[in-house]
Amino acid sequence: MIKTPYLLFLGDAPDPLAAKVAQGIRDWRPENAVGQYRMPGCQADMRLPDMTLAQARAAGAQTLVIGVANRGGVISPAWKKVLIAALEEGFDLASGLHNLLRDEPDLAAVAAACGRQLHDVRVPSVAYPIANGEKRTGKRCLAVGTDCSVGKMYTALAMDRVMQARGMKSTFRPTGQTGILITGDGVPLDAVVADFMAGAVEWLTPDNDPDHWDMIEGQGSLFHVSYSGVTMALIHGGQPDALILCHEPTRTHMRGLPGYDLPSLETLRDTALPLARIANPACQVVGISVNTQHMDDAEARRYLAEVEARMGLPAVDPFRHGADRLVDALAAI
Amino acid sequence: MIKTPYLLFLGDAPDPLAAKVAQGIRDWRPENAVGQYRMPGCQADMRLPDMTLAQARAAGAQTLVIGVANRGGVISPAWKKVLIAALEEGFDLASGLHNLLRDEPDLAAVAAACGRQLHDVRVPSVAYPIANGEKRTGKRCLAVGTDCSVGKMYTALAMDRVMQARGMKSTFRPTGQTGILITGDGVPLDAVVADFMAGAVEWLTPDNDPDHWDMIEGQGSLFHVSYSGVTMALIHGGQPDALILCHEPTRTHMRGLPGYDLPSLETLRDTALPLARIANPACQVVGISVNTQHMDDAEARRYLAEVEARMGLPAVDPFRHGADRLVDALAAI
């Protein structure tokens, strides 16, 4: 568990896109972000107060989160200076970078000397069990996609936000690095050893109140041959009561796999639902989340109306139009 | 790659079943087993020559393979004495035990001093790539099961043996500890990190001659919620041209999952084939392998005839009646 709230480290981000992690935290857990730390030349801006390390500590920040992807995969000397000063100032550090904080001898030494934690959220920190398949109390919703990176995480976060606003019981359950940094805990599922994937998802979504919903972050796609095993483990370990189908209609082939077509939403439904019912015979597909970012407003509305009529399920872009109708569908089952 | 041939270490096996690994090697790669090493009280016998370490070295053995499951998960002091003597005698050691040889300080020290290898086949020794889904040359066959432990490995080994005898080009591709110890290499798939599972299977079954068959060892089951992600990665990473459906008809529930029924062979076919065709649109289900060990001969033949008529595919117990008809079906596609 990463201590909140955070100071978001934007470093020398070459462009706003490089600060995707910081943006996720700012968008979805603004209460966790007391401010931002930018270095000279930083091209990203979360529109949070710019703070020194001391100011952020005084404002209550517990952890400096690396909210930016680094260039060339190394933790640069310029970053190092700030990170070491942060440890000395009393911050823990958290990172989802491929290069681990703990593998940097200077950071590890200062952290040990100062009694601070280094959180590398790409690395599992728990010995997960083998899944036992036992029915758990409470309810679970999983977003499954026609492809990777079609908006599964944003869908779960948007639905969770609406549920919180309505006073429903819900918890967003992260399964990837960005999600973990947004909330402070979760399972880095793509880094879990194969035998324990489904068990890690069971561990993440334990028994709960009968009217509580775990909003599980999806990963990969059953139709993406590189990562489909991870998706399968989510479907069986998560034993969802509800599936949301996610789609990005302008994509011409599966992400990173030229020559692989995306499946239709019908094929996704007819593939995912029988597999989900192995673990939870009551599972239903309740709605469709479409990422319309590459469509203009008229085109997006036309497309959503067409999908909704064709599939007989609410079809929305939760980021563009809100997740209310998806939550209505969830609340109805 | 583990150096062959082997001396099979049976230790103080409490019963014949404990020596399953040794039996697999003896049954499927007898040319790799020059002899057996038994300690006082050993209740297993592979009917191989009993040898001292020196005799086995003289007969050409390169590696002492721990062919027995240990009691209580520890490498006993009694075993240790033999294992250390083996290293000093010039043997490498190979093991599929949960407790790793490399984690035993005395074994590690002697191995280093003598320049010998410790092979813990539960631990991947390769940095596998992310799967790229590109079509590979050569052909691949994968056994998929209605449950775990229904005979997928034996089916692939039995078919490979028939193919070798017929002069066909084939290679058994192990994906589990026993298979790896039988042949000397492979991928311990259940120990691979999630993101790299499908890539590990691609790595294991590379481009080959157009008429060469990789006979891939299956793992888990799409219907076994603990391990289905591993099965999914095999189906997509292996991009099989042919599937063999495996079944054990007397099982009353999924292995280790009371309350979970086994699927029918029809459901297995209708679930696995569309998933396999994502990676290889030409994939076909070519035959059915039934583990009839708990049936008498008349019952087994009656059951196989019924399945064959119902499914319209050759249905055999390859261990009991030979794998010829499955290989005929493979050769016909």
Side-chain angles (χ1 to χ4, degrees), chain B residues 179-252:
Chain B
I180 293 170
L181 289 171
I182 289 175
T183 64
D185 66 1
V187 167
L189 193 58
D190 61 13
V192 171
V193 165
D195 246 2
F196 304 99
M197 292 185 298
V201 181
E202 290 188 348
W203 176 92
L204 182 67
T205 59
D207 281 327
N208 215 316
D209 297 341
D211 57 344
H212 177 277
W213 282 95
D214 277 327
M215 304 303 296
I216 307 171
E217 180 189 351
Q219 294 293 335
S221 164
L222 288 171
F223 296 84
H224 196 294
V225 297
S226 309
Y227 308 115
S228 52
V230 181
T231 313
M232 187 75 256
L234 273 162
I235 290 174
H236 282 168
Q239 53 183 229
D241 301 271
L243 296 176
I244 306 284
L245 309 181
C246 296
H247 187 51
E248 203 284 66
T250 68
R251 210 164 280 186
T252 55

Side-chain angles (χ1 to χ4, degrees), chain A residues 130-133 189-195 197-198 222-223 225-230 232-233 236 239 257 260 271 275 278-279, chain B residues 130-133 189-195 197-198 222-223 225-230 232-233 236 257 260 271 275 278-279:
Chain A
I130 300 269
N132 63 28
L189 192 59
D190 61 12
V192 171
V193 164
D195 245 3
M197 294 186 298
L222 288 170
F223 296 85
V225 297
S226 309
Y227 308 116
S228 53
V230 180
M232 187 76 257
H236 282 168
Q239 54 182 230
L257 300 176
Y260 281 82
T271 303
L275 290 170
I278 293 168
Chain B
I130 301 268
N132 63 28
L189 193 58
D190 61 13
V192 171
V193 165
D195 246 2
M197 292 185 298
L222 288 171
F223 296 84
V225 297
S226 309
Y227 308 115
S228 52
V230 181
M232 187 75 256
H236 282 168
L257 300 177
Y260 281 83
T271 304
L275 290 170
I278 293 169

Side-chain angles (χ1 to χ4, degrees), chain B residues 25-178:
Chain B
I25 296 169
R26 198 272 323 270
D27 285 349
W28 296 109
R29 290 294 184 275
E31 68 276 21
N32 283 355
V34 304
Q36 64 187 12
Y37 186 104
R38 301 197 294 165
M39 289 166 54
C42 181
Q43 299 298 313
D45 182 0
M46 295 300 121
R47 300 183 304 281
L48 291 168
D50 283 296
M51 290 185 175
T52 64
L53 297 172
Q55 287 169 337
R57 282 295 288 159
Q62 303 285 317
T63 302
L64 181 141
V65 172
I66 299 184
V68 58
N70 55 350
R71 281 181 270 201
V74 293
I75 298 177
S76 71
W79 284 22
K80 275 284 183 65
K81 220 177 125 189
V82 180
L83 301 182
I84 286 171
L87 290 168
E88 290 169 345
E89 195 79 41
F91 286 93
D92 291 343
L93 303 183
S95 160
L97 298 177
H98 272 288
N99 296 68
L100 305 185
L101 299 171
R102 71 179 71 162
D103 289 343
E104 302 291 322
D106 44 359
L107 294 182
V110 176
C114 301
R116 310 314 317 164
Q117 300 285 313
L118 301 179
H119 297 281
D120 287 301
V121 302
R122 266 181 199 273
V123 184
S125 55
V126 172
Y128 303 113
I130 301 268
N132 63 28
E134 285 171 23
K135 178 71 184 158
R136 305 191 291 290
T137 54
K139 295 183 176 226
R140 286 155 200 88
C141 175
L142 175 68
V144 292
T146 51
D147 192 2
C148 299
S149 309
V150 291
K152 297 185 298 295
M153 183 181 83
Y154 263 58
T155 299
L157 281 162
M159 291 177 70
D160 175 61
R161 174 171 286 175
V162 169
M163 294 166 87
Q164 298 286 334
R166 290 188 188 181
M168 294 171 70
K169 295 180 190 167
S170 77
T171 309
F172 172 67
R173 299 294 190 185
T175 60
Q177 288 78 23
T178 302

